[in-house]
Amino acid sequence: MYSFTKTMEQIMSLREKKTIFYGAETLNTVWETKPEVIAKLLPAPLKPVKDKPLVSTFVANYPKTSFAPGYKEAGLFILAECNGVIGRYCLSMPITDGMAMSMGREVCGLPKKMATIDFEVKDGKVIGKINRNGIEFFTVSADLSGKLNKDGKIEELNDAITDYMYNITYAKSADGCGFLLSPTLIKQKLAIADITENKLATSTVVLTDSPHDPWAELEVVRMIGSQYIVSTNTLEPGENLYFNKIDPMGFVPYSFTKWDWWTK
């Protein structure tokens, strides 16, 4: 019989279990936005990367994982630097599975929200759509042409899709005043292996403004292009960067990415 409590033996059996995504189908898309937008959205101690106001997104289908049934996921990131290490700061991560959402929010502090995600690969094209609260706020259409958009450079794509991901984990106080736990900067690495497909693509995106998912704030100044990749990915354990002190009051304006913005 199953139980709400777990034995120490059961708990220890999970200790070495890795977070693996088998045969992950991912469409990464990169564009340049305005530098002032990046500066506005990055909380300290993260800083903009000079002359690289880059935005990256992904829409993915995970047919099999080591920790949950298959699901779909997406993400929105901006390029950032901390102590000389460049990574992607996560602003939003829509997802279709409740358990995978809980794991990402509770363990890593990622701004995950349940969403409807469409992901189709057909006839040399990839289309991704994200919908929440009746608003399709992001659509990407990529042509697997083997090249990027006219003004895109492969170096920029590689710069934006970094190995490292930054996020700030925190817990708000139950009395509504400040934080129960101090905001802490997290650095994680996604290791990619067993690549079976890797194609560049010309792409277009449609950003529709939403009070709950304001991806449209990252306006497109110059589209760089997309990369479609099928691989096995391993999310390595996160590193708590406690030495990078975060001012709780200074972080308050940045602490609403996990919740919808209902003001009425």
Side-chain angles (χ1 to χ4, degrees):
M1 180 179 292
Y2 294 108
S3 173
F4 282 107
T5 61
K6 306 303 175 189
T7 66
M8 188 56 64
E9 183 179 2
Q10 288 175 311
I11 295 170
M12 293 301 292
S13 70
L14 294 176
R15 188 174 182 181
E16 302 300 324
K17 191 173 183 180
K18 295 182 178 180
T19 303
I20 305 175
F21 307 83
Y22 302 98
E25 300 177 275
T26 307
L27 181 69
N28 295 301
T29 302
V30 177
W31 66 86
E32 178 185 336
T33 192
K34 294 181 178 179
E36 56 266 32
V37 174
I38 300 289
K40 173 188 175 184
L41 297 178
L42 279 179
L46 297 172
K47 299 177 181 178
V49 179
K50 185 178 180 181
D51 300 326
K52 294 181 180 179
L54 299 178
V55 179
S56 64
T57 67
F58 78 83
V59 183
N61 175 44
Y62 302 138
K64 181 182 177 182
T65 81
S66 64
F67 56 90
Y71 63 93
K72 294 182 178 68
E73 190 171 57
L76 173 68
F77 304 85
I78 52 180
L79 204 61
E81 179 268 332
C82 184
N83 296 330
V85 179
I86 294 176
R88 295 181 287 171
Y89 175 64
C90 186
L91 289 169
S92 174
M93 194 168 281
I95 193 169
T96 62
D97 180 77
M99 185 52 59
M101 181 194 73
S102 297
M103 289 173 65
R105 283 174 64 112
E106 294 174 18
V107 177
C108 305
L110 287 165
K112 295 193 175 189
K113 296 179 181 179
M114 292 292 289
T116 298
I117 300 175
D118 295 318
F119 186 83
E120 182 181 54
V121 184
K122 185 178 181 181
D123 299 329
K125 296 184 181 297
V126 184
I127 297 176
K129 300 178 181 179
I130 313 172
N131 188 303
R132 295 190 70 257
N133 296 305
I135 301 174
E136 189 174 284
F137 58 88
F138 180 75
T139 301
V140 57
S141 179
D143 185 351
L144 301 178
S145 59
K147 58 184 180 181
L148 299 175
N149 287 49
K150 181 180 178 181
D151 296 326
K153 298 177 182 178
I154 188 65
E155 294 83 2
E156 295 173 310
L157 185 83
N158 292 334
D159 285 343
I161 307 172
T162 63
D163 290 337
Y164 291 108
M165 176 176 67
Y166 285 120
N167 182 52
I168 295 177
T169 184
Y170 57 92
K172 293 200 172 188
S173 176
D175 62 8
C177 299
F179 299 100
L180 175 65
L181 301 175
S182 296
T184 301
L185 184 64
I186 304 294
K187 183 176 73 174
Q188 284 190 285
K189 183 178 181 179
L190 183 69
I192 298 175
D194 300 329
I195 298 173
T196 58
E197 287 193 57
N198 188 356
K199 297 179 181 178
L200 298 179
T202 54
S203 55
T204 59
V205 299
V206 177
L207 299 164
T208 300
D209 200 20
S210 167
H212 316 294
D213 306 279
W215 287 34
E217 186 174 12
L218 283 302
E219 62 179 282
V220 178
V221 171
R222 178 172 58 92
M223 179 59 67
I224 292 168
S226 297
Q227 174 198 43
Y228 172 70
I229 185 169
V230 180
S231 58
T232 292
N233 305 336
T234 301
L235 184 63
E236 299 182 357
E239 179 183 357
N240 298 321
L241 304 181
Y242 293 117
F243 55 86
N244 290 282
K245 298 296 183 181
I246 296 175
D247 171 31
M249 288 307 299
F251 180 68
V252 168
Y254 304 90
S255 66
F256 293 89
T257 55
K258 296 189 224 177
W259 292 275
D260 287 349
W261 190 251
W262 297 104
T263 57
K264 296 181 181 180

